[in-house]
Amino acid sequence: MVRIEKQGAVWTIIHSRFAEARNAMDPDSAEAILAAFKEFDADDSASVAVLWGEGGAFCAGWDLKFASTLSDRAAFQRHVVDGLAFPTGANPAPRGPLGPTRLELSKPVIAAVEGPAVAGGMELALWCDIRVMAESAYFGVYCRRWGIPLLDGGSVRLARLVGQGRAMEIILTGRKVPADEALRIGMCEQVVETGGARAAAEAMAREIARFPQAAVRADRRSVVETYGLPVREALRQEWTNGVEAIFKEGVSGAARFAAGKGRHGDFAKI
């Protein structure tokens, strides 16, 4: 159902439920993917993760066959309202319906999107830091037609990527957003040939993983944490996140540059 394939510092987390549900997410899959990402974040040897749906579909969303079993109010209360509700205060939240969508990782994740990433599957892709889409892949709030709202961060993250008005139109109409449009409006960062999303995402992951990781993670954290803050507070947060990375990696990196008699502006060796 869920497995991890490791290539050095790059981990590919694979959801394999295509034949039965086009990789729709049931509770067992959600728990397994959440556990895989927690393992990735805790392992010092892992730097970048790729999330990929095996079989030609990224994720068809929340498993509607499971959702159809919740017509009994007591079952709905137990599995959804109580089981997935945000706690009071700063206590850690339980998983989202799609698994890791409330998880705040310290390392980057790249979504490798083939075929549909719709409804909660779109939300799962939006949770990732970067999205690589096959040219035949597509997004869409397809849960619109079944009366299921966005519960895994889609209404929050989509507006931050593409702007409120465009996000509102995509969310309320529930229409298909093909890969070329997703690239144009900022819902994804790269489009590749069909069948090539995983390889392209893993290649990007290796590029990121080859750099000193304290600085990578500090900069990633700053982008996430400073969104929406006043400029001065954002700059203060960026400084807090980055200053220790300079001592951990930047000083020794500068020493390597100096020892190699590098010149400022000479970036061919990067």
Side-chain angles (χ1 to χ4, degrees), residues 47 204-216 249 270:
S47 296
M204 184 185 295
R206 288 192 294 272
E207 282 295 299
I208 296 170
R210 73 189 181 96
F211 293 117
Q213 289 299 296
V216 166
E249 294 177 344
I270 292 177

Side-chain angles (χ1 to χ4, degrees), residues 215-237:
V216 166
R217 293 170 197 173
D219 286 345
R220 175 189 175 275
R221 189 163 59 249
S222 291
V223 171
V224 172
E225 293 178 349
T226 62
Y227 188 92
L229 293 179
V231 171
R232 185 177 180 85
E233 182 56 36
L235 292 173
R236 188 194 311 277
Q237 189 65 37

Side-chain angles (χ1 to χ4, degrees), residues 11-267:
W11 290 23
T12 300
I13 296 171
I14 300 168
H15 185 203
S16 184
R17 202 171 172 251
F18 179 82
E20 58 194 285
R22 293 176 70 79
N23 292 329
M25 196 73 69
D26 66 353
D28 289 342
S29 294
E31 292 286 355
I33 290 181
L34 178 68
F37 275 109
K38 286 184 175 179
E39 181 183 347
F40 158 72
D41 208 42
D43 193 310
D44 291 338
S45 70
S47 296
V48 186
V50 170
L51 177 58
W52 179 65
E54 191 168 41
F58 182 75
C59 177
W62 197 34
D63 190 325
L64 295 181
K65 291 182 179 178
F66 167 74
S68 70
T69 68
L70 302 175
S71 58
D72 177 73
R73 182 69 201 190
F76 181 80
Q77 186 74 29
R78 181 172 64 255
H79 288 288
V80 179
V81 178
D82 295 336
L84 302 179
F86 273 86
T88 58
N91 295 313
R95 67 166 176 83
L98 270 286
T101 52
R102 298 171 180 174
L103 194 59
E104 298 179 20
L105 298 181
S106 64
K107 305 173 186 177
V109 180
I110 303 171
V113 183
E114 296 280 352
V118 296
M122 183 193 80
E123 295 182 277
L124 186 60
L126 295 179
W127 169 76
C128 299
D129 297 292
I130 299 169
R131 287 145 294 280
V132 175
M133 295 183 74
E135 58 190 0
S136 58
Y138 56 95
F139 292 129
V141 186
Y142 282 23
C143 51
R144 179 62 57 240
R145 62 197 70 180
W146 311 119
I148 297 176
L150 298 173
L151 293 171
D152 282 271
S155 62
V156 177
R157 295 185 176 110
L158 183 58
R160 294 185 178 195
L161 286 173
V162 305
Q164 180 172 314
R166 197 183 297 271
M168 196 73 78
E169 180 266 329
I170 291 170
I171 290 169
L172 298 186
T173 65
R175 68 174 177 85
K176 179 179 181 178
V177 182
D180 59 345
E181 180 184 0
L183 180 64
R184 187 173 70 251
I185 66 176
M187 280 184 79
C188 79
E189 288 66 50
Q190 186 178 4
V191 173
V192 299
E193 64 181 2
T194 298
R198 176 181 175 179
E202 289 175 342
M204 184 185 295
R206 288 192 294 272
E207 282 295 299
I208 296 170
R210 73 189 181 96
F211 293 117
Q213 289 299 296
V216 166
R217 293 170 197 173
D219 286 345
R220 175 189 175 275
R221 189 163 59 249
S222 291
V223 171
V224 172
E225 293 178 349
T226 62
Y227 188 92
L229 293 179
V231 171
R232 185 177 180 85
E233 182 56 36
L235 292 173
R236 188 194 311 277
Q237 189 65 37
E238 180 191 58
W239 171 262
T240 300
N241 288 335
V243 68
E244 189 63 24
I246 295 175
F247 181 75
K248 287 181 177 179
E249 294 177 344
V251 174
S252 60
R256 292 196 306 274
F257 175 86
K261 297 182 173 60
R263 296 175 301 167
H264 289 90
D266 179 9
F267 300 116

